[in-house]
C-alpha cells in the first residue's frame, strides 16, 4: 500500500475523457422519463388529497437530486401533520387507497428502518417508494441538487461512480456496502478537497436557506447560480478525477482515523472527541458524516467483511485506471 500510494496519474490519462463522457451521457435519463415521473406524482397527489387534504408530496432521492440515471425508481415523501399520527396506520391506509386505484405490487413495509409503501404504476412502468414525514431526506436532496449546479464535473463523477458501484455490486446497503447517497457525498467531499477546489462548502458560507427539521437546524448558502464557475481555475478533466477518486479510496484514505465531512468541506479526524460521539457508535470502519444529521454515519452499515469487499473494489478500480489498456470496459464489468 505504501508503494502504491506514491503512484502518480498516468500522463496520457486525458485519452479517457471522451470515452468516459460517452458513458456519462448514456446514463442521463431521457426527458420523457421526467415527464412520466411527473405524471405519476400527479396521480399520487390526487389519491392522497382525497384522504388527507392538507398533506403534501415531495420527491426526494435521485429523482430530485439530479443524480438519477435511466430507469430509476422514484422516492416520494408524504408530509402530513405530525400530531398524534401513527405512521403504520397511515401507511396501511395509503396502501389500501393505492390498491383500489389499480396501482400494482402495493406493499406496506411498516417494520422497515424507514417504513414505506412500495408500488408500481402500470401506466408509466415506474416503481415508487413512499415514506412519511422524512423531511430531512427532502432537505438533503435539495443540498445535493444545489451542489450539482455548481460544476458539471460533480454530476459526471457521481454518475460514473454510481454506475461503477452498481456494476460491481457495492451499492447494496443490506449487504453492508454503501448507499448511492453515501457515494454522492464522497464525490462532493472529494471535489471540495481538490487544489484548487472544484466545489465550495455550502454550509460554510453565509446561510441563505434555513429550515429546522426534526430539531436539526439545516442552513446553507443556496444561491448557487452565483457560484457557477467556482471550480473553473481547476482544469482537471473527468478521467483524471475518476483516477484520483479511486486512487484516494484505494491507497490514500485513512480508514481508521478519518471522517468524510461535506458539512465542513474537510476530512476530519475521528480522534476529535466530539466527532467520535457524533458519528455514533459502532466500529467506524468507514466514516461518512451526514451533512445535517451529524450523528448519522452513512458508513455504519459497513461491517468487517464488507469493508474488505469495498476496499478490494476501490483497489481494483484504481489499478484499472492506472494500468488497464481499456479501462472504460473493465471498470464496469459485472461482478
Ligand atoms: N437517505 C438518507 N439517509 C440514508 C440514505 C438515504 O437521508 N442513509 C435519503 C437521501 O435523501 C437520499 C434518498 O434517501 O437522496 C435516497 O437514497 P438512495 O436510494 O441511497 O439514493 P438515490 O439518490 O435515490 O439513488 P438511486 O439512484 O440508487 O436510487
Ligand atoms: Mg432512490
Amino acid at each position: 500500500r505504501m508503494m502504491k500510494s506514491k503512484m502518480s496519474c498516468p500522463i496520457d490519462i486525458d485519452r479517457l475523457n471522451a470515452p468516459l463522457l460517452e458513458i456519462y451521457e448514456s446514463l442521463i435519463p431521457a426527458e420523457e422519463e421526467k415527464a412520466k415521473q411527473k405524471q405519476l406524482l400527479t396521480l399520487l397527489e390526487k389519491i392522497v388529497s382525497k384522504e388527507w387534504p392538507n398533506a403534501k408530496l415531495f420527491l426526494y432521492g435521485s429523482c430530485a437530486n439530479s443524480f438519477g440515471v435511466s430507469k430509476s425508481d422514484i422516492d416520494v415523501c408524504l408530509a402530513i401533520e405530525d400530531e398524534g399520527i401513527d405512521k403504520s396506520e397511515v401507511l396501511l391506509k395509503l396502501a389500501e387507497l393505492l390498491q383500489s386505484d389499480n396501482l400494482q405490487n402495493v406493499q406496506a413495509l411498516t417494520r422497515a428502518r424507514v417504513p414505506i409503501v412500495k408500488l408500481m404504476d402500470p401506466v408509466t412502468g415506474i416503481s415508487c417508494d413512499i415514506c412519511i414525514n422524512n423531511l430531512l431526506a427532502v432537505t438533503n436532496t435539495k443540498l445535493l441538487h444545489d451542489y450539482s449546479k455548481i460544476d458539471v464535473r460533480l454530476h459526471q463523477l457521481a454518475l460514473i461512480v454510481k454506475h461503477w458501484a452498481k456494476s460491481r455490486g457495492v451499492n447494496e446497503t443490506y449487504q453492508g456496502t454503501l448507499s448511492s447517497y453515501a457515494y454522492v457525498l464522497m464525490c462532493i467531499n472529494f471535489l471540495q478537497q481538490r487544489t484548487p477546489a472544484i466545489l465550495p462548502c455550502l454550509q460554510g458560507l453565509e446561510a441563505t436557506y434555513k429550515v429546522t427539521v426534526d430539531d436539526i437546524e439545516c442552513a446553507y448558502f443556496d444561491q448557487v447560480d452565483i457560484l457557477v464557475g467556482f471550480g473553473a481555475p481547476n482544469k482537471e478533466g473527468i478521467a483524471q478525477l475518476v483516477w484520483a477518486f479511486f486512487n484516494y479510496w484505494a491507497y490514500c484514505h485513512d480508514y481508521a482515523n478519518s471522517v468524510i465531512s461535506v458539512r465542513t468541506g474537510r476530512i476530519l479526524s475521528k480522534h476529535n472527541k466530539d466527532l467520535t460521539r457524533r458519528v455514533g457508535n459502532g466500529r467506524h470502519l468507514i466514516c461518512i458524516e451526514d451533512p445535517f444529521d451529524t450523528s448519522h454515519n452513512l458508513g455504519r452499515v459497513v461491517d468487517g467483511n464488507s469493508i474488505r469487499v469495498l476496499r478490494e473494489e476501490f483497489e481494483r478500480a484504481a489499478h484499472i485506471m492506472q494500468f488497464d489498456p481499456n479501462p472504460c470496459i473493465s471498470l464496469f464489468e459485472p461482478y
Side-chain angles (χ1 to χ4, degrees), residues 60-62 65 72 75 137 140-141 162 166 179-181 296 298:
Y60 72 100
S62 63
N65 65 18
S72 298
D75 298 301
N140 66 38
T141 292
K162 276 179 67 176
K166 284 178 205 282
S179 65
S180 297
Y181 178 54
H296 185 179
L298 278 311

Side-chain angles (χ1 to χ4, degrees), residues 141-154:
T141 292
K142 173 172 157 59
L143 179 71
L144 267 48
H145 192 198
D146 284 332
Y147 269 113
S148 80
K149 296 183 218 160
I150 299 170
D151 195 295
V152 71
R153 286 171 289 184
L154 169 61

